[in-house]
Amino acid sequence: MRQKIVAGNWKMNCTIPDGIELIQDLIDTKQSTNNCQVVIAPPFMLLEKAGTLCKGKTMKIAAQNCAAWEKGAYTGEVSAAMIQSTGAEYVIIGHSERRSYFAESAEVLKSKVDITLNQSLLPIFCIGETLEEREEEEHFKVIKEQLEASLFHLSNKMIKKVVVAYEPVWAIGTGKTASTETAQEMHAYIRSLLTEKYNVETAESISILYGGSCKPGNAKELFSQKDIDGGLIGGASLTAQDFNAIINAI
Ligand code: PGA
C-alpha cells in the first residue's frame, strides 16, 4: 500500500521561537496518524531544533531546498550533507517558487535530486503548470517535460525513493484549489507516465501529493481520490489546528 503523507511547507515563515512553539503545538496535539506520515519543512535554521524536538516521535523533518553542489565555495548555500546532519530526512525540490523566483532550471533540479538521494535523503519533487499553460491546454505536456527533465534519469530503485508533489502554480497561495476531478485527472496522468517509464509496481508504490490551497475544508475530498496520496500544505501548515485537521482528513 502506498505511503500516505501530509507535509507542511512553512516557506519563509516563523522565527526560531515561533517555530519551536508551532512544533511543540504539533507534538502536543493528538493526530490520528493512522497510516499517514507527517512531515514538516521549517526554514533551515530550525531544522536541527526540529530534529531534536521530534526525536522518537513519528513526525519527520524536511528541508525546503538544498544546494546543487556537494560542498565548497558557494556562499549562502546549504548542502545535502548539512541537512542530513540535522536529522532531517526529506528535501523539497523544485517548488514553483524556487523555479520562478530563483530561476532554478530543470538541469539544476536534476542535480539537486541526485545530491539529495546520494545523501540518503528523500526528495519531495514538485511539479505544476501555470495558469497560462493550463489555459493553453499545455498542462499535460508541461508536467511530462518536468518529470522527464529532472526525474526520469533515475533508476527503478531510486525513483521509488521520490515523493512527487503536484502543485498547480495557479492554486498555490491563491485560495483557488484544483477541483478534485482536475487534481485526480493529473495525478492519474502522472502515475501513467511513471508506469510507462518504469512499471506498474513502481508507479503504484510512489506517493503523489497534491498541493495548492489545500485546507481543512477541502482536504478530505481531495485525499479520497484514488491517486492522491496526501498533500503538501503551505499556508494551512502554519497553525497546529489547521494542519492537524488536514492530517486527520486522511
Ligand atoms: P498553499 O501552498 O497551501 O499555501 O497554497 C502550497 C505550497 O506551496 O506548497
Side-chain angles (χ1 to χ4, degrees):
M1 204 206 236
R2 279 195 296 278
Q3 177 68 64
K4 302 270 185 201
I5 301 173
V6 173
N9 175 11
W10 292 13
K11 309 193 180 186
M12 198 175 71
N13 292 294
C14 289
T15 59
I16 290 179
D18 293 346
I20 291 173
E21 197 181 319
L22 179 49
I23 295 165
Q24 208 60 63
D25 282 354
L26 289 168
I27 290 172
D28 291 345
T29 352
K30 269 232 168 325
Q31 299 153 0
S32 63
T33 50
N34 47 338
N35 190 34
C36 174
Q37 178 61 65
V38 180
V39 181
I40 51 166
F44 283 132
M45 62 271 294
L46 269 156
L47 290 182
E48 192 191 0
K49 187 72 187 168
T52 311
L53 290 170
C54 294
K55 215 179 175 109
K57 309 270 189 294
T58 51
M59 195 156 72
K60 306 262 190 221
I61 316 298
Q64 297 174 17
N65 181 29
C66 79
W69 309 274
E70 259 171 45
K71 64 174 185 174
Y74 300 103
T75 304
E77 289 291 280
V78 175
S79 75
M82 293 171 190
I83 292 166
Q84 212 242 5
S85 71
T86 67
E89 293 176 50
Y90 293 82
V91 182
I92 299 174
I93 297 175
H95 190 280
S96 68
E97 286 149 18
R98 301 290 323 168
R99 291 179 191 260
S100 62
Y101 303 148
F102 304 96
E104 291 192 357
S105 66
E107 199 56 34
V108 163
L109 299 177
K110 183 180 174 195
S111 305
K112 291 189 179 196
V113 167
D114 290 341
I115 274 183
T116 299
L117 288 167
N118 282 343
Q119 205 57 51
S120 302
L121 292 163
L122 307 172
I124 300 176
F125 189 77
C126 305
I127 52 179
E129 80 285 357
T130 62
L131 183 59
E132 202 184 11
E133 287 161 346
R134 182 161 277 270
E135 283 173 351
E136 284 169 10
E137 301 196 356
E138 299 267 283
H139 44 294
F140 291 120
K141 184 169 158 268
V142 168
I143 292 300
K144 186 167 189 241
E145 283 170 0
Q146 289 175 345
L147 288 169
E148 285 176 346
S150 310
L151 277 193
F152 279 6
H153 64 290
L154 294 174
S155 66
N156 188 50
K157 182 171 166 224
M158 293 318 256
I159 192 82
K160 287 181 176 175
K161 298 183 189 293
V162 177
V163 176
V164 176
Y166 170 58
E167 300 204 301
V169 179
W170 45 271
I172 296 177
T174 58
K176 251 201 215 171
T177 327
S179 69
T180 43
E181 295 76 24
T182 303
Q184 166 56 29
E185 181 186 40
M186 187 57 91
H187 281 234
Y189 177 65
I190 294 165
R191 208 174 303 284
S192 77
L193 293 174
L194 289 164
T195 306
E196 221 173 86
K197 172 70 190 169
Y198 298 94
N199 55 57
V200 180
E201 188 252 322
T202 298
E204 285 298 323
S205 72
I206 295 176
S207 303
I208 307 176
L209 314 184
Y210 170 80
S213 299
C214 185
K215 304 267 184 278
N218 58 28
K220 205 173 183 66
E221 214 188 322
L222 283 161
F223 298 165
S224 68
Q225 301 300 301
K226 184 172 155 285
D227 290 290
I228 301 183
D229 306 309
L232 181 55
I233 320 298
S237 71
L238 294 172
T239 67
Q241 197 186 357
D242 282 357
F243 193 51
N244 281 332
I246 293 173
I247 294 162
N248 291 336
I250 281 265

